[in-house]
Structures are given as C-alpha cells and as structure tokens.
Amino acid sequence: MCLNKVIEQLTQALGEENVLTEKEELAAYSFDATADIPKVVPQVVVTPTSTQQVQEVVKIAAKYKMPLYTRGSGTNLSGGTIPLNQGIVMVMVKMNKILEIDAENLTATVQPGVIIQDLNDAVAEYGLIYPPDPGTVATATMGGSVAECSGGLRGLKYGVTKHYVMGLEVVLANGKVMRCGGKTVKNVTAYDMVKLFVGSEGTLGVITEIIVKLIPAPETRKSALAVFRSLDDAAKAITGIIANKVIPATLEIMDNVTIRTVENYARVGLPTDAEAVLLIEVDGIPEVVEKEAEVVARVCRENNGELKLAETAEERDEIWQARRAALPALAQVSPTTVLEDATVPRSKIPDMLKALRHIAEKYQLTIGTFGHAGDGNLHPTILTDENNAEEMKRVHKAVDEIFEVALSLGGTLSGEHGIGIAKQKYLEKEFGEAGIEALKAIKKALDPENILNPGKILKF
Amino acid sequence: MACYDSLEKIKAEITKCMKCGNCQAVCPIYKEVMRETGVARGKIQIAKDLLEGRLEHTEKLQEIFNLCLTCKACAANCPSGVRPDKIILATRAAIVRKRGLPLVKRQIFGLMSKPRRFRMGIGMASKLQALGLKKIKDKDLARPRFPIGLDMKRIVRPLAGRPLLSQIPEVSKVPKSRARVAFFTGCMLNYIYTQAGRAVIEVLNANGVDVVTPREQHCCGIPVLVNGDVKTAKEIAKYNLDVFARGNYDAIITHCGSCIGAWVHHYHELLADEPRYGALAKELSAKAFDVSQYLVDKLGMREPLAKLNYTVTYHDPCHMVRGVGISQQPRKVIRNISGVTLKEMKKPDRCCGSAGSFSLSYYELSGKIRDKKVTDILSVNPDIVLTSCGACRMQLEEGLYRAGSDIPVRHVVEVLAEAYAKEGGVTSERKTG
Ligand SMILES: Cc1cc2nc3c(=O)[nH]c(=O)nc-3n(C[C@H](O)[C@H](O)[C@H](O)COP(=O)(O)OP(=O)(O)OC[C@H]3O[C@@H](n4cnc5c(N)ncnc54)[C@H](O)[C@@H]3O)c2cc1C
Ligand code: SF4
Ligand code: SF4
C-alpha cells in the first residue's frame, strides 16, 4: 500500500519524534475511555506541534484518502477517538500553550492541547475562572472538550462548553485554515460557525486555537446535603429550588444504589436507606449566597428533606467527597462500568429515575444513577463484566431502552458526552430523517471525502 | 498473590482499569514524553494485549515497561483502585522471564544473589573508585572520568571509605532500655550515606532503645525486583528474612522508602506461595517500621532540649508516602525540633525522577523530572532539604548542584541527631557524609 509513502511524508513534515509507527506504540491508541467498544489499532500516530504541521497532516491524509482521527487526551465516553478504519491518529497534546490571558476582555486564547485545569490554574491569578468542569477536568484537553462540548458539575448555572467558546481557528478537511468568532462579546456575522464546530467531535475540522470567555470567580460558596426518603420529594425539591428563583451552581443527585455503594466504599456517613440525596452548592456575592442558602434549606425542608448545611470548608469538602466518590465507588464494584448520559427536562427526573429502576429489574442489572439533576443530565451507570457475553446482551438491551425512555420524556441522547460510535444508532430517533439529511449535508460540504473522524456521529 | 510469577495472576487487576485516563494528570513520565505508552493507562492496555496474545515480548515492549518510575502516583489517583505499579512490575517480570536481562544487569544481579561476594565487590569498588570518579572541588560529589556504566554527565556521591556496618558496633546499648530493635541499613546508607546511618542509631539510643545491626544483612532486593529479576529478589528476601528472624527483636527499623516497602509488602508478595517463608514474611512485616514512624507512632519521641536554627523543606519519597503511607511522621519529627521551621514546597510528594536504576538508564528524562523538583525546592529557599531516602537524596544533590545551589540534602533523623547531640553540649555542626 501507500502506507510507507504516507509515513515518509509525515516524517518529513513533522520530524521523526512526532511520528509513531511501532506496533506497541500504536496499540496504545486503539482505545479511549469508553467501555464496551471495539479496539482498533491505527496505522500511524502523529503528534503535531503547530497549526502548520496540522495542515500538513490533513493534506497528506486527504491526498492518500487516509482516515484521520483527531485525539486529545482520549477520555471521551462515546468511542469518539477509536480509529474505526485505521489510518492516522493525530494527538493534539503537544500543542499545549496558553497563548494569551486577556484580563481586560475576560478572554483566554489557548492551543487545543491545553488541559482544562491548567487553564483554570493560570486564570486563577487574575481572579477568574473558566467554568466548564467535566469530571476529567485535570486530564481532558481544551480541544477535546470543545469538540465534545463537554459539561460538568457547574452546568446548571454556568452552562456547558459552547457557552464559553468565542472564537476558533480550524484546519479544514482541505488543509486550509479558517478563523471564526473572536473576542467581541457581540458577534452575529453570518452563520454561527463557532457553534457549528463546538460539539462536532472531530468530524468537521481540526481545532487548532480556541478563544474562550472567562468569568470572575465567585466570591464565596455554600454547600448542603439534603436527604430524601422519597424520590418524588427529591424531585419536587429540585424544581422547587429553581421555581423559587435560586439557580445553584451545582445541584447533583445520587440514587439509593449509588448512596449504598459510596457509603460502603468511602464511609462518609450517608444514610443508606434514603431514596435519594441532593448535593447543592450556591455561589456568588456573600449576601446573595446567604439568602439563597436559606431558600434552598426552606425548600428542602418543605419537601421532607433532611438538610445538612456545610458551615466550614472541611464540611463542604466532606459533602463533595461523597459526590466525587460516586463513580469510583461504582467502578470498584464490577470489572466493567458502562456510564450513560441520558438527559431529560428537569421536571421529568423522577420519571426517568423510576424508569431506570424498572429497567434494572427487567434486565436484572445493577444500575447506579447519579448526575446533574439541576440540568436533567443523569448518568445511569451499569455495573457489569464485559467477559460475560450473556449479561452484555442484557446490558445492550437496557441501554437501548434507557435512550428510548429519555427521548419519550422529551429528553436528548447526550447531555455532555456526545454521540461518537456509542449512540449513533439512536440518532435518527432524535433528529428524524430530515434532520439526519441536514447533518449529512453539512458533513459533506465541509469534508466531502469523509476523511475526518469517519464513522462517528453519522454513518455513510 | 504471587503476581510476579505469572502475568495471568494480575489479570483481575488489569480488568479493573476502566481506561478513564485519570492517571495522565499525575504521571511524571507522561508529562515529559506525551505518549500514551508513557502513562499507566497505556501500559495496562498493552499488558492486556500481551496477555491476550495481540502483542509479543519484544524489545520495544520491554522498553515501554521500563519507562516507569514506579512512583505510584497513578495508583494514588486511580478512581477504580487499580495498582498500575504492580501491573507494571508483574509485566517487567514476565518479559524478563521470556527475554532475560541485559548482560550488565545479569552480572550485577548475579553478584547480588551472593551477599558476601557483593559486599567484597563493593568494598573493592570503594577503594578503586578514585580511578573512575573525579571528585568535584569542595563537594562530596564526583563525576565519572570515563564511562563506568554511568552517564558521563552524571554527578554522584562516591562510596564511603568504610561501609556503615564496619564503622559501628553490632550492638548499641543504652542504660535503661525500653526496647530492642534490629536496624536494617539498606545499601544507600551502608555504602554511601553512613553518617545518616549513625544518626539512626543515635536517635534511637537517645530515645532509650537498644539497636542491633546484624552483620550478615543484605540489600533489600527492591532494585532487583523492579528490574523484573524475580528469582534473585526471592533469594535476597529469604536471606534477609532468615537473618532478621534469628534475634527476637521488638521491631525492625529501616530508613528508606524502598527498604520499608520490601519488609512491609514485597517480601510477602514475593513469597506468598511458599508456606514457611510466606508466613515468616508476614510475621516480620508487622514488626517493620521506618525510623520516623517508629519514633513518632511507637515511642512518642522525646523532644530535644537544644534548639537549632534552620528553615527546612521536606521531600516525600514516593515509596515512603504512597508505598507505605508515611508522610506525617517525618514532618512530626521535624516539627518536634525546636527552632526548625518546616516550609512546604509545592507538591512535596511529586517524584524526584530518581527511581533507582531508572536514572541510570534514562538519565536525560530522569534529569528533566528532577529539575522540576529542584525548581520547587528553590522557590522555598530552605537552609536544608530533608528527605527519607538515600536514592532521592543523591538525585536531589545532583539537581541542586547543577542548579548552582549550595543547599545540602540530609535525612530527617540527621537533624534530629544533631539536636540531641547539642543537648549534651556538643554544639559543633555535623558534617554530613
Ligand atoms: C471518569 C470520566 C468522567 C467524565 N466526566 C465528564 C463530565 O462530567 N462532563 C463531560 O462533559 N464529560 C465527561 N467525561 C467525558 C470526557 O472527559 C470529555 O468529553 C472530555 O472533554 C474529552 O476530552 P479529551 O481531551 O479527552 O478528548 P478526546 O477523548 O481525545 O476526544 C474527544 C472528541 O474530540 C475530538 N477532538 C479532540 N481534539 C480535537 C481537536 N483539537 N479538534 C477537533 N476535534 C478534536 C476527538 O476526535 C473526539 O471525537 C468524562 C469522562 C470520564 C472518563
Ligand atoms: S489505571 Fe486507574 S486512573 Fe489510570 S486509566 Fe485505569 S482506571 Fe483510570
Ligand atoms: S508509577 Fe509513576 S511513572 Fe509509573 S506509570 Fe504510574 S505515575 Fe507514571
């Protein structure tokens, strides 16, 4: 084949140290964080260090019609970086410079390989934060999170990644560089190309530079843990808090399976007989935080919730330790952890939680659910063993049903983890035929040869 | 779980990895090489490929698995509770079983399986080292004159003129003793930092403890184990167990992260399948303590009456803090010395990049990791850097020297010994060595 030629040209363009060809090295790029997804070993891995090198790679891929899979830290949960048709994996982690922090305009300009936490550490000196904070904030790259439009714990008040991306530099499938958006707060020129690339999962272009919006760090914060004997009460509290015009930064839920698992693992003093706990944090100006915390406390009590307000920093840490322990605790129970991302309108949370309980019973599976209750984004987590073929069949059926229910409740397939390979087959159910056609038209217009991350989101 | 005998045995541990990538955030190697094979997640998945026959025991594979500091930062940060360090060591062992060791290592480890010859060999080396090493003016440091297995750019502490074991009496008694302990010296301080070894005995004596230092003891065997030579590691483990089972000691006191790890975990892990030695390893593991741990947790150490005047910072050796969970005790020792101020550096538990023989094989990479540590130390600007491990000490000494700094590196108990000595009217500063 032409593989040798491709490697030769890649080496010429990027230097030997940025081109990996040994099969042991390649094997390390055959997977990402997604469970229950095929491993595929790419033919070559490249680590460009500049936009120009990215252009070279894209041009070579286009010339030889080699599939090109852009990769950040490979922490996505939808199979987004699996090189399904082999070809080239392009890892962006070496492009990891923070190019500018503009405290006057409240923006930062970064290369795509910058780790989200590193950006946050850098802007903290200016009293600023970059709010999107996925669970992987210490590992995920800015490029990967923009391409995945990731969310996180602060989504309810602060939104997800797309609310913070103001401008992009993108290398298109033909190797040309395009810039869109910028530092202006107002920008309504032509189509919103910035938003188009945010969440495009590497299928429309390669992001090589990102301008993001920063916000002043909240002056203070207050956390509480509320325990509920009934799911309905917990749900009423969620909607009640917001109906009372308090938008917490974080409003998280853990179901009984999760509570019991976390308690068993971390011994943080959670009530194992509770049906649900809510973890709530309000932040902002001290006076407002005080007032909002009171409202939260009142609403929880009115809905039969037992409330524990954190008075000190240590107590606050204890509360969040419980939430942080959720996934680890669940992950330790069984060899394989299938983490889903079904999202419903806030008011439908109790329906969704009940449906999940029913699905777990029906397919005889352990499902622990936790997640961002305030924004309706739940993470039902199936504890299983991928070596058990029979059980995996039931897992797949359960997953199908989870998404069916979510959609029937007016929800969406993904609140933050994207479509990738994992949720491709449900896409038409959400978008409809006309919708899929429109998506395909966009993909064809920008990447006619289907070079960029082929096999993801859309099937051709 | 004798995971070092068969890769199969580590399969459950491998399966536990959910590939979340959290280990990327803390792996010093990954931060330098920026390749998935550098970090635990990549290595674990490759081990899985090896186990399931998709990859073979190639030289490249061996190289990938050698590229790890066994600093255990990944294990400490893993949400699924995976022990990547164990998987990596088990895979190294599997590869060595298949491919054998490189010639140089084979020769050295062969020598190590014979304690007496090993001691003689080092004794000779200490006499001949002047031929190979060139002393650096005004420093207890030297650099190679010609390649003697060291990178030519390397700076080292030369071997002590006489090993610790021949400088000290076998038994150091105190008038009214509270306990009788055995001192396991380990190589770094038997052959290089002998002053630190004497300090261990002095501080234990000062706290009313009799110290026996068995003459026949040997290296702890960790350098051999981490290189995948399980056979020699087992021989060494059995040898030491026999030596220390002989006296009926209240405790076995060690002085470095690797040695305490050997006594607390590794001997038992290595010998679990052998009834007699397995049981003995377990029994003695309950008696093993790092010197700071023993002083603080067991003795309730006596605060020295004399005052010193130092600002110090403490570097946590990986095998001490994550290997056996000791980080508070050395700090308590420091805080108990009046006049000594502990000023913490940023991330005091980040690996210094030494990792024993790692720094020999990957000198450049090890140096990059070390220099980050040195920057953190210098930003605190202490009078002394304290630590609890000889290998870290040598690495930091080299790093500080290269950075043009005169800040000395010492073991925690050396400063304590100095404070106790000053009580008795001896006020002169001790020279470390
Ligand atoms: C334990 C755990 C917890 C998580 N928690 C959350 C959470 O709370 N919220 C959330 O939203 N997500 C979460 N995730 C998912 C994941 O961490 C995020 O999607 C993250 O943003 C992915 O970043 P990455 O750098 O790893 O990207 P990768 O996984 O490498 O790539 C993700 C996608 O982006 C594309 N891509 C990467 N870089 C570029 C680029 N420069 N240009 C174009 N395309 C690119 C890839 O092709 C791929 O499709 C979690 C994952 C794990 C394992
Ligand atoms: S070793 Fe632990 S932290 Fe690393 S990828 Fe596996 S599960 Fe995640
Ligand atoms: S032990 Fe240290 S160097 Fe080795 S993989 Fe883990 S974090 Fe990296």
Side-chain angles (χ1 to χ4, degrees):
Chain A
M1 236 237 329
C2 54
L3 182 61
N4 286 344
K5 257 201 198 135
V6 171
I7 291 173
E8 196 186 296
Q9 294 186 15
L10 288 170
T11 313
Q12 218 159 45
L14 274 62
E16 230 167 87
E17 69 280 11
N18 290 318
V19 182
L20 306 177
T21 54
E22 285 151 302
K23 62 179 186 301
E24 292 84 356
E25 293 283 353
L26 301 179
Y29 296 91
S30 63
F31 59 86
D32 55 31
T34 321
D36 190 29
I37 280 276
K39 270 189 176 183
V40 184
V41 183
Q43 287 163 301
V44 51
V45 172
V46 293
T47 52
T49 55
S50 66
T51 301
Q52 199 202 334
Q53 288 193 346
V54 171
Q55 283 180 280
E56 299 282 343
V57 175
V58 174
K59 280 181 193 155
I60 294 168
K63 184 167 154 200
Y64 293 94
K65 302 222 173 5
M66 272 258 202
L68 178 63
Y69 300 89
T70 309
R71 179 180 172 111
S73 295
T75 69
N76 74 89
L77 293 168
S78 52
T81 46
I82 304 287
L84 270 181
N85 307 333
Q86 298 201 301
I88 308 169
V89 164
M90 177 162 67
V91 193
M92 307 300 284
V93 293
K94 284 193 186 170
M95 289 177 65
N96 60 354
K97 285 194 197 68
I98 297 174
L99 300 170
E100 184 198 51
I101 296 171
D102 182 345
E104 250 169 63
N105 284 307
L106 297 185
T107 64
T109 306
V110 299
Q111 289 189 319
V114 169
I115 307 296
I116 307 172
Q117 184 68 49
D118 290 346
L119 174 61
N120 258 316
D121 291 347
V123 302
E125 288 175 30
Y126 300 85
L128 299 171
I129 59 168
Y130 170 70
D133 61 340
T136 41
V137 62
T139 42
T141 63
M142 287 297 291
S145 60
V146 170
E148 208 65 82
C149 193
S150 49
L153 259 59
R154 295 194 284 225
L156 172 58
K157 180 167 177 179
Y158 295 109
V160 296
T161 301
K162 67 177 160 193
H163 302 117
Y164 294 89
V165 182
M166 300 175 75
L168 291 174
E169 179 188 86
V170 181
V171 173
L172 299 169
N174 58 14
K176 290 187 182 163
V177 178
M178 164 189 154
R179 297 190 76 101
C180 49
K183 283 189 187 177
T184 57
V185 176
K186 284 180 156 181
N187 184 329
V188 296
T189 306
Y191 303 143
D192 192 343
M193 296 300 271
V194 175
K195 287 270 185 346
L196 179 64
F197 285 106
V198 178
S200 62
E201 301 186 28
T203 62
L204 299 181
V206 181
I207 298 163
T208 45
E209 208 177 290
I210 306 159
I211 303 175
V212 293
K213 178 164 79 178
L214 306 170
I215 62 167
E219 279 178 39
T220 181
R221 54 192 65 191
K222 199 148 199 156
S223 307
L225 177 97
V227 180
F228 293 88
R229 305 282 144 194
S230 109
L231 265 185
D232 284 318
D233 283 344
K236 276 190 217 140
I238 296 169
T239 40
I241 291 169
I242 294 160
N244 274 278
K245 303 193 180 54
V246 172
I247 309 285
T250 310
L251 178 40
E252 300 280 305
I253 191 168
M254 299 199 303
D255 74 347
N256 179 264
V257 175
T258 313
I259 295 171
R260 278 187 288 131
T261 318
V262 168
E263 190 46 32
N264 191 25
Y265 160 83
R267 305 251 174 248
V268 280
L270 293 176
T272 48
D273 54 346
E275 273 217 342
V277 296
L278 297 181
L279 302 109
I280 310 154
E281 181 163 293
V282 288
D283 68 3
I285 304 164
E287 299 82 44
V288 178
V289 168
E290 219 34 67
K291 223 170 114 193
E292 290 190 338
E294 274 165 33
V295 176
V296 167
R298 178 170 55 78
V299 175
C300 286
R301 286 203 193 96
E302 280 168 7
N303 290 292
N304 309 315
E306 264 173 56
L307 193 92
K308 198 177 117 188
L309 214 63
E311 299 295 341
T312 62
E314 288 83 53
E315 283 176 10
R316 175 176 178 264
D317 274 355
E318 263 169 41
I319 289 179
W320 292 109
Q321 195 200 335
R323 171 59 177 88
R324 277 194 297 270
L327 182 58
L330 291 167
Q332 298 209 7
V333 172
S334 63
T336 311
T337 317
V338 178
L339 184 79
E340 287 305 347
D341 177 32
T343 304
V344 293
R346 205 157 34 223
S347 61
K348 300 287 188 204
I349 292 250
D351 298 335
M352 190 66 210
L353 285 169
K354 280 178 206 155
L356 287 167
R357 207 145 59 177
H358 172 72
I359 292 169
E361 269 164 36
K362 182 169 165 191
Y363 296 102
Q364 294 171 325
L365 295 166
T366 309
I367 307 184
T369 301
F370 60 92
H372 321 304
D375 47 40
N377 182 196
L378 292 178
H379 292 311
T381 302
I382 309 178
L383 309 180
T384 177
D385 181 354
E386 61 189 349
N387 299 314
N388 182 340
E390 186 274 327
E391 186 170 277
M392 286 315 284
K393 264 193 207 143
R394 282 185 278 129
V395 170
H396 295 146
K397 282 198 187 135
V399 171
D400 290 351
E401 205 165 319
I402 289 172
F403 287 112
E404 221 158 86
V405 175
L407 290 177
S408 75
L409 291 172
T412 177
L413 294 173
S414 175
E416 52 182 25
H417 294 171
I419 300 301
I421 312 171
K423 281 179 264 183
Q424 212 167 47
K425 63 175 173 175
Y426 313 117
L427 196 58
E428 194 166 341
K429 282 206 177 117
E430 182 169 338
F431 261 90
E433 202 190 314
I436 296 285
E437 274 170 23
L439 292 180
K440 284 191 170 170
I442 294 172
K443 168 75 172 166
K444 278 203 181 118
L446 283 172
D447 180 17
E449 302 280 359
N450 197 17
I451 299 288
L452 300 175
N453 210 357
K456 310 302 164 62
I457 309 183
L458 295 161
K459 257 199 190 118
F460 281 93
Chain B
M1 182 180 56
C3 60
Y4 304 119
D5 291 327
S6 140
L7 203 51
E8 255 329 295
K9 294 250 170 71
I10 203 89
K11 197 171 171 181
E13 199 66 30
I14 291 177
T15 316
K16 252 177 29 193
C17 170
M18 65 169 176
K19 304 180 292 181
C20 68
N22 269 18
C23 38
Q24 288 173 354
V26 293
C27 178
I29 298 279
Y30 180 72
K31 290 253 182 293
E32 298 301 331
V33 300
M34 293 292 205
R35 261 187 260 142
E36 193 73 47
T37 46
V39 73
R41 174 171 81 165
K43 290 186 166 87
I44 294 171
Q45 296 309 314
I46 291 175
K48 193 170 182 201
D49 285 345
L50 180 68
L51 196 60
E52 292 170 2
R54 282 184 298 275
L55 289 176
E56 287 146 42
H57 299 78
T58 54
E59 190 179 333
K60 176 71 196 178
L61 201 85
Q62 188 157 26
E63 194 186 299
I64 287 171
F65 280 90
N66 283 345
L67 208 59
C68 165
L69 303 157
T70 62
C71 73
K72 301 174 203 263
C74 46
N77 198 45
C78 173
S80 315
V82 179
R83 289 284 310 275
D85 51 321
K86 249 186 172 169
I87 298 175
I88 290 164
L89 289 188
T91 313
R92 282 185 186 171
I95 298 171
V96 166
R97 271 197 300 279
K98 202 82 176 186
R99 296 181 53 85
L101 283 165
L103 184 67
V104 183
K105 285 186 184 169
R106 201 160 65 225
Q107 284 172 340
I108 298 175
F109 297 167
L111 192 61
M112 287 188 80
S113 65
K114 318 244 168 359
R116 194 160 299 158
R117 276 194 23 218
F118 178 66
R119 279 196 288 271
M120 263 169 53
I122 295 211
M124 214 127 87
S126 102
K127 300 213 169 54
L128 294 177
Q129 63 183 342
L131 292 176
L133 293 175
K134 184 168 181 288
K135 195 172 168 330
I136 294 171
K137 200 165 163 276
D138 300 332
K139 293 267 173 195
D140 281 332
L141 297 171
R143 59 173 96 238
R145 288 185 207 271
F146 40 80
I148 47 170
L150 293 176
D151 191 294
M152 284 299 283
K153 290 191 279 313
R154 187 96 206 256
I155 306 254
V156 293
R157 238 330 159 116
L159 294 167
R162 283 166 64 208
L164 176 70
L165 283 173
S166 56
Q167 292 182 25
I168 53 164
E170 180 155 9
V171 182
S172 302
K173 273 175 129 5
V174 289
K176 266 189 253 142
S177 80
R178 303 161 65 187
R180 185 167 161 276
V181 303
F183 179 20
F184 182 80
T185 66
C187 298
M188 286 302 285
L189 114 159
N190 186 25
Y191 296 116
I192 296 175
Y193 296 110
T194 54
Q195 168 60 37
R198 286 201 302 275
V200 171
I201 299 172
E202 284 162 20
V203 302
L204 287 169
N205 282 169
N207 279 279
V209 176
D210 287 344
V211 182
V212 182
T213 314
R215 286 296 180 257
E216 293 302 307
Q217 59 176 291
H218 192 26
C219 162
C220 69
I222 296 300
V224 176
L225 177 65
V226 300
N227 278 291
D229 184 356
V230 176
K231 190 171 154 281
T232 309
K234 280 186 181 175
E235 282 173 31
I236 295 178
K238 287 180 189 172
Y239 179 89
N240 280 327
L241 286 167
D242 281 335
V243 169
F244 282 80
R246 253 174 249 147
N248 188 20
Y249 307 112
D250 296 321
I252 298 167
I253 304 300
T254 69
H255 163 282
C256 110
S258 303
C259 297
I260 184 70
W263 283 98
V264 174
H265 302 299
H266 293 295
Y267 288 172
H268 180 246
E269 281 166 6
L270 275 165
L271 301 168
D273 292 342
E274 302 191 26
R276 186 169 89 79
Y277 280 110
L280 186 58
K282 203 157 202 178
E283 188 194 321
L284 293 190
S285 80
K287 283 192 178 181
F289 298 91
D290 168 65
V291 57
S292 297
Q293 184 190 25
Y294 191 70
L295 283 167
V296 171
D297 296 348
K298 285 279 149 185
L299 296 177
M301 69 172 269
R302 180 170 77 72
E303 285 182 29
L305 305 170
K307 201 172 160 191
L308 299 176
N309 188 17
Y310 294 132
T311 298
V312 302
T313 196
Y314 178 75
H315 161 69
D316 287 285
C318 298
H319 288 186
M320 192 72 93
V321 55
R322 286 177 291 275
V324 285
I326 297 175
S327 68
Q328 282 319 305
Q329 294 90 333
R331 290 182 166 80
K332 281 203 182 126
V333 168
I334 296 168
R335 292 209 177 92
N336 277 347
I337 309 172
S338 101
V340 174
T341 315
L342 174 63
K343 215 164 137 195
E344 296 279 6
M345 69 180 100
K346 212 167 75 191
K347 296 193 187 149
D349 61 348
R350 194 171 54 194
C351 183
C352 68
S354 158
S357 56
F358 179 89
S359 59
L360 298 179
S361 317
Y362 298 95
Y363 181 72
E364 298 281 336
L365 184 55
S366 161
K368 282 189 191 160
I369 297 167
R370 176 200 65 210
D371 289 346
K372 291 207 165 107
K373 187 93 218 176
V374 168
T375 308
D376 289 348
I377 292 175
L378 292 177
S379 71
V380 174
N381 193 27
D383 300 321
I384 314 172
V385 182
L386 297 181
T387 188
S388 295
C389 162
C392 297
R393 178 176 185 172
M394 180 126 76
Q395 176 86 343
L396 297 178
E397 280 176 344
E398 171 168 11
L400 285 163
Y401 172 77
R402 287 191 178 281
S405 161
D406 280 329
I407 303 173
V409 188
R410 295 162 79 184
H411 190 280
V412 169
V413 295
E414 278 179 69
V415 178
L416 180 60
E418 186 183 325
Y420 285 141
K422 205 171 157 189
E423 278 177 353
V426 188
T427 45
S428 66
E429 298 262 310
R430 265 149 206 282
K431 201 171 159 318
T432 51

